[in-house]
Amino acid sequence: MPPPVFRFAPSPNGYLHLGHAYSALLNFDLARRAGGRFLLRIEDIDATRCRPEFEAAIYEDLAWLGISWETPVRRQSEHFSRYREAVEKLAGLGLIYPSFESRAEIARLVAQRETEASWPRDPDGAPLYPGAAKSLPPDRRRELIAQGAPYALRLDMQKALARTKELAWREDGAGPGGETGVVAARPEAWGDVILARKETPTSYHLSVVIDDALQRVTDVVRGRDLFWSTSVHLVLQQLLGIRQPVYRHHRLIEDASGHKLSKSTQATALRELRGQGATPAEIRSRVGLPAVPR
Ligand code: GLU
């Protein structure tokens, strides 16, 4: 049996904080304990928010924590053609359609509907896509695209689910409601998710699934906030004929007032703590990991 493969996949859109330290160290420790491999992947598809100085800081902070990773590091921005191929494959199956409403227009459509009844939200709390773009005639779609209108490419979830078999994953950690063991996916809770945009040929959901497969990741260990995203990932894995990894969603590190840490808060940024004289051992203890990796 080949050794298990773990990965830590941060986005360089801010400085790493204690929550990232926990996730990275946990992955690294699990890989070591299992005699497995540890990969670092830079998830930099969002050109407007990702910056080279944040990427440089990721390498610096992780090395300071005592983490080492295989090189070359995969950077998602260098693989757009791969993601495009996958979108084309799904389009070929008739599972993709473009939508043209802006975020503000979508918010207005939702507000309109909500005057009558409550409108469903996805597990992240965002309203499901309510637009009519799914039924736009092909000619009209082509026309809008030719005119240069911005668009998002969405997965037609109903059609996608008609093509997939039973969707469940092995959870070695736990979900927000304590879900563990074999978990049944709930992709319909997300509606028609965006898989690409006019300016960005991929999305988090699509590139994470493709990269984990290409890098032969066997164990996806990540924060509990991504637990229900796994439902969408399973759908894409089945449609694209990709093997499913095992998942372990871990607890989130909170600040003193019980809030999820944010990249914009200075107080828990690793470089800030390092500047104040914290040691890697102190960081381990602060996030509740054993001092010496077991
Ligand atoms: N890039 C994602 C983040 O920074 C993590 C992706 C994952 O672990 O699946 O939140």
Side-chain angles (χ1 to χ4, degrees), residues 7 9-11 20 41 43 204 208 212 220-222 225-226 233 263:
R7 59 32 167 212
S11 296
H20 297 108
R41 182 168 74 228
E43 302 214 322
Y204 160 65
V208 85
D212 284 339
V220 171
V221 179
R222 63 185 174 196
D225 51 338
L226 293 169
H233 303 169
K263 277 188 175 147

Side-chain angles (χ1 to χ4, degrees), residues 157-180:
M157 192 58 90
Q158 236 179 330
K159 276 196 195 163
L161 293 182
R163 294 188 76 107
T164 51
K165 294 196 292 288
E166 197 202 332
L167 293 160
W169 79 86
R170 190 180 118 197
E171 175 62 43
D172 284 350
E179 300 85 352
T180 191

Side-chain angles (χ1 to χ4, degrees), residues 166-175 177-186 227-228 230-231 234 244-249:
E166 197 202 332
L167 293 160
W169 79 86
R170 190 180 118 197
E171 175 62 43
D172 284 350
E179 300 85 352
T180 191
V182 177
V183 178
R186 297 188 204 155
F227 185 82
W228 286 116
T230 311
S231 297
L234 262 61
Q244 199 177 304
V246 166
Y247 291 87
R248 178 193 290 249
H249 291 89

Side-chain angles (χ1 to χ4, degrees), residues 11-67:
S11 296
N13 54 12
Y15 293 116
L16 298 187
H17 54 56
L18 284 171
H20 297 108
Y22 176 60
S23 199
L25 286 165
L26 183 63
N27 268 289
F28 185 65
D29 289 1
L30 286 167
R32 280 239 284 228
R33 205 185 308 160
R37 298 168 56 202
F38 172 80
L39 311 178
L40 172 63
R41 182 168 74 228
I42 300 293
E43 302 214 322
D44 59 348
I45 57 174
D46 184 351
T48 57
R49 296 175 62 217
C50 293
R51 289 205 246 130
E53 61 266 35
F54 292 138
E55 184 178 330
I58 289 174
Y59 301 134
E60 216 178 279
D61 289 344
L62 294 180
W64 174 69
L65 285 172
I67 291 176

